Amino acid sequence: MNKMITPPTQDLTGAAIPAPMVIDAEGDDQSHSALSGQAIVGAVRRWWVVATPVGLFLSVAAVVAICLMSQPVYRASAWLKIKAESPYVVFKDEETALDAKRFVETQVELIRSPMVVAPLLGDPAIAQLEILRGELDPIGMLGELVHVFQRGDSELFRLSMESTDPQAAKDVINALARSYLDFRSKQESETKRRVIALLQQQKEKYFEDIKRLRGNLVTVADQATKNDPYGGLMSGGGGVSPLVEDSVRRLIEIDLARVSLTAERENLKQDTPNHAADYAAAEAAVVELIGRDEQLRAWREQQMLMESRVESYRQTMRRPEQSREYRDLNAGLQDIVSAMAGRVEMLRSQVMSESIGSMKPSGPSEESEAIDLRLAALDLQEDYLRKSLEAEQRKRRDNAGGLLEVEFMRAELTLAEEMQQEVASRITRMQVESQAIDRVELLREGEIEQTPVVGMPWKKMAAAALGCWFLPFAVALIAERSLRRVCDVRSLEAHANAPVLCEIARLPSRPNSSGRRSEYRLEQALRVFEESTNVLATTIRWADGFKGIRVVSVMSAMKNEGKTSLSSQLSICLAEAGGKTLLIDGDLRSPDIHSAFDIDPSPGLGDVLDGHASLQQTVVAAEQPGLWVLPAGKAVSTPHRKLSWLQERVLAAAREDYDYVVIDTPPLLVASEALMLARAADASILCAMRDKSRGEQVREAGQRLQAAGVRLAGVVLNGVPAKQYATRYGQPYGDEGAEPVGAESYAANETSV
């Protein structure tokens, strides 16, 4: 039969040998990457039978657990319309348009405020909700669960709550909407009632002031002219200046604004928790801060200076309001007053936020603070206007005497009557507009959305199932990493610290099914196994490093690493090449060569060592011409003493009668007599099974051989898949129809022998 001889390479000695040294010519990075990939593939191949059902069980368990723990979350929503401008019947309120944004923000915060949320806990069904059980602050919890969203820039707002209990979410939303509308209706009604009551008081006050002014006017007119003040004696006296008239009208507006703001503040105080002590302390801090503020102090000095200049203009000029310088000075004075009011507002806001901001509900407390700031600004403006009015009156009184005082009193009476009429008109407007529709309207009560906001976590379940399915394989990879199995030539060479002579294809086992295809595959695998072993036989016969070597021991670190199969096929290949070959089964504890060649185990090596038989009497001729087999004989537990006669009684005669002697030794790490067999041989070949032998064990075996002075010719990687070997080195060629010699007898046995 023609055999394929692969191109030569080199061993440790540098001699050329015709062995396919499987050392990739690629870089280290690529070899490491291939090693990692082969390790992963090997781990999956070894563990998939166990890892797959375990992974499936864990995946199912994870999916079931997530299903039990996960519940769909539903959303219940109600729709509100919060109008930017207040609806009106006859009289439009211009102030609402200017404060629309603040009003909307206040309503949004009011919906989630304790004043609206607290009444909900009076309902036992809501108070006993699962999410509120054991909660120290159920009001705050409900406020956090409720969300208010504006739909774009429109006046539509969605009041929503998400929960695994859709009916509970719907009940909470409907109860909250009713509580908010009731609270707002009550607040609006109370505010209007208070404002109307205050306006009625103010109207009565103006009525009394009118009576008093009329009496005073009669008295002053009698003293000044001795005539009836209604007789028109003051015609041509110059009249009341526009400055005085404008100042009085502005005082009327301030007074009316103060009435409305005071009513709102009193209404808010009833709805806001009482923090009187905190407010008092904060107000004291505000007063102290205003007194120490350098900017306000500078503005006050500038105000006093400008007021003195304004007073001088009034005293020196007959009609100062017609002077441009006077008007500019007066406008600058107004700017300073406004700046001071803004500064006071900023300081007060700063102190309030630092002192008691955390103790007040966000919505109403901010609104009350804003009212206080506006009242403070009105006080400053009123103070300035009254000072200006008094100064103007003093100036004109000094110039015109008692007649002008009568005119001033008449003007004051007229303005008081106008103020009374304005208050009466305001009361009428409020009474009429109280019939207008509410500024906030409930468009739709709470309803449960059909599609859950958070449905079944399919992605989470898929990720958990996939992760659990891969978990056993990950554990297998970790275990394989710790075992450090030999998976390729490079890792074998690194662990053994010896040259790799060749790779040996895996010896296939006979398939369970019969058929031409199965027989053909078996035949091809056997041919690949035979050809890979022929490479090793050729190396032993022709390599410079093997010159003079006739006795070779085939060893392995542990059992089941293909040592016996390799030594048997190697002997067949050497005999086939024309060399008279003897195969010795040196494993006296667990012999197996006789099973491979179907011969009797006794007599054998043990009988020769005991001197009960000679070598010629115990060897058995194999079917392969030129090959003889020496079985182990009867198994013994302690063969060390017998093996001391190995050289004298066996190998000495074998060297005379045979060209090559191949010794199949026991595993090196578990049978110490293997070292005796290795020392008796001319050289040793260490065999490692791909994806089975551990790197540490291979290293330990090599170190023991070196320590014992054994010549380690090299290592071989056994168990390479036939397809991979054929892909790398090519299919065997030659006599395609010929049957493999000897190899088929091992195919029926275990490949791990």
Side-chain angles (χ1 to χ4, degrees), residues 109-149:
E109 293 300 324
L110 181 62
I111 292 173
R112 303 167 63 240
S113 67
M115 290 80 70
V116 174
V117 175
L120 271 64
L121 299 178
D123 185 353
I126 295 178
Q128 296 177 4
L129 289 177
E130 184 68 26
I131 56 177
L132 299 180
R133 290 180 183 176
E135 183 64 35
L136 297 178
D137 184 16
I139 297 177
M141 173 61 72
L142 277 178
E144 292 179 0
L145 292 176
V146 175
H147 302 280
V148 183
F149 300 98

Side-chain angles (χ1 to χ4, degrees), residues 36 49 56 68 78 82 109 124 140 205 215 226 270 278 304 314 325 355 373 379 450 459 526 572 583 615 640 702 753:
S36 300
V49 176
L56 290 175
L68 294 177
I82 303 178
E109 293 300 324
K205 175 179 175 297
K226 303 299 182 180
Q270 289 193 354
D278 299 318
M304 294 175 62
R314 290 172 179 169
E325 295 180 358
S355 300
L373 294 175
D379 291 340
Q450 297 300 323
K459 293 183 179 179
L526 290 173
I572 294 173
L583 173 61
L615 180 63
H640 298 78
V753 175

Side-chain angles (χ1 to χ4, degrees), residues 111-396:
I111 292 173
R112 303 167 63 240
S113 67
M115 290 80 70
V116 174
V117 175
L120 271 64
L121 299 178
D123 185 353
I126 295 178
Q128 296 177 4
L129 289 177
E130 184 68 26
I131 56 177
L132 299 180
R133 290 180 183 176
E135 183 64 35
L136 297 178
D137 184 16
I139 297 177
M141 173 61 72
L142 277 178
E144 292 179 0
L145 292 176
V146 175
H147 302 280
V148 183
F149 300 98
Q150 184 178 9
R151 194 62 177 265
D153 295 331
S154 67
E155 297 179 340
L156 298 180
F157 289 80
R158 185 180 67 188
L159 181 62
S160 64
M161 176 181 172
E162 298 175 358
S163 175
T164 55
D165 186 352
Q167 187 59 42
K170 178 181 177 181
D171 294 342
V172 170
I173 287 299
N174 285 330
L176 186 68
R178 289 192 298 268
S179 177
Y180 163 67
L181 293 176
D182 292 344
F183 177 83
R184 171 171 166 72
S185 176
K186 177 182 176 182
Q187 187 186 43
E188 288 289 321
S189 300
E190 186 65 20
T191 300
K192 290 178 181 179
R193 187 190 65 79
R194 290 176 182 275
V195 172
I196 291 175
L198 289 174
L199 288 175
Q200 290 285 4
Q201 295 176 7
Q202 197 71 12
K203 180 180 177 182
E204 296 295 331
K205 175 179 175 297
Y206 288 148
F207 180 75
E208 296 297 329
D209 289 344
I210 290 172
K211 291 172 59 177
R212 176 181 56 79
L213 289 173
R214 284 178 176 174
N216 293 339
L217 181 60
V218 172
T219 302
V220 173
D222 287 342
Q223 293 177 356
T225 62
K226 303 299 182 180
N227 292 314
D228 184 2
Y230 298 101
L233 295 177
M234 292 303 299
S235 60
V240 181
S241 69
L243 177 63
V244 174
E245 186 175 352
D246 181 67
S247 299
V248 174
R249 291 188 181 279
R250 291 182 61 185
L251 285 172
I252 294 175
E253 296 174 357
I254 291 173
D255 203 13
L256 293 175
R258 183 184 290 107
V259 170
S260 298
L261 292 174
T262 303
E264 291 183 25
R265 184 176 63 178
E266 292 298 325
N267 193 42
L268 287 173
K269 285 183 179 180
Q270 289 193 354
D271 299 322
T272 306
N274 186 16
H275 298 301
D278 299 318
Y279 275 102
E283 291 290 352
V286 171
V287 173
E288 182 181 358
L289 184 60
I290 290 174
R292 292 186 289 103
D293 189 73
E294 295 294 335
Q295 184 64 52
L296 283 176
R297 188 175 301 173
W299 280 343
R300 286 195 193 96
E301 295 177 356
Q302 189 174 358
Q303 179 188 10
M304 294 175 62
L305 179 61
M306 296 180 71
E307 285 178 349
S308 63
R309 293 181 59 188
V310 169
E311 185 65 23
S312 65
Y313 272 104
R314 290 172 179 169
Q315 293 178 359
T316 57
M317 300 178 64
R318 183 174 180 84
R319 294 185 179 275
E321 62 273 5
Q322 297 180 354
S323 171
R324 181 177 179 180
E325 295 180 358
Y326 175 81
R327 292 197 302 270
D328 293 343
L329 187 62
N330 198 38
L333 186 58
Q334 292 281 359
D335 292 340
I336 290 179
V337 172
S338 299
M340 291 176 64
R343 180 70 175 175
V344 169
E345 179 179 348
M346 184 197 70
L347 294 176
R348 189 175 191 282
S349 176
Q350 177 181 349
V351 172
M352 288 297 182
S353 62
E354 294 177 355
S355 300
I356 60 173
S358 61
M359 303 183 63
K360 300 180 295 179
S362 59
S365 63
E366 293 178 359
E367 195 169 345
S368 178
E369 183 178 338
I371 291 175
D372 291 339
L373 294 175
R374 291 168 65 184
L375 287 173
L378 290 177
D379 291 340
L380 288 174
Q381 295 179 20
E382 182 184 19
D383 182 64
Y384 167 73
L385 290 173
R386 290 195 179 279
K387 287 182 178 180
S388 300
L389 186 59
E390 290 175 0
E392 182 68 15
Q393 288 176 345
R394 285 197 304 270
K395 173 188 173 184
R396 297 179 68 88

Side-chain angles (χ1 to χ4, degrees), residues 372-427:
D372 291 339
L373 294 175
R374 291 168 65 184
L375 287 173
L378 290 177
D379 291 340
L380 288 174
Q381 295 179 20
E382 182 184 19
D383 182 64
Y384 167 73
L385 290 173
R386 290 195 179 279
K387 287 182 178 180
S388 300
L389 186 59
E390 290 175 0
E392 182 68 15
Q393 288 176 345
R394 285 197 304 270
K395 173 188 173 184
R396 297 179 68 88
R397 187 182 297 115
D398 293 340
N399 294 336
L403 294 178
L404 189 59
E405 184 176 359
V406 173
E407 189 64 24
F408 269 118
M409 293 187 67
R410 179 179 294 176
E412 188 176 358
L413 175 60
T414 303
L415 294 176
E417 292 173 346
E418 292 180 358
M419 290 175 65
Q420 185 185 31
Q421 294 175 1
E422 179 66 25
V423 170
S425 176
R426 182 71 63 89
I427 293 174

Side-chain angles (χ1 to χ4, degrees), residues 525-571:
L526 290 173
R527 288 174 58 80
V528 173
F529 172 71
E530 177 192 359
E531 190 62 34
S532 63
T533 310
N534 260 332
V535 174
L536 179 60
T538 304
T539 301
I540 294 174
R541 294 179 64 235
W542 300 109
D544 292 340
F546 282 88
K547 285 184 178 180
I549 294 178
R550 299 173 57 196
V551 181
V552 179
S553 63
V554 180
M555 319 187 71
S556 65
M558 301 295 293
K559 63 179 181 178
N560 299 329
E561 292 184 342
K563 162 183 58 62
T564 300
S565 299
L566 177 60
S567 60
S568 300
Q569 185 63 30
L570 177 61
S571 302

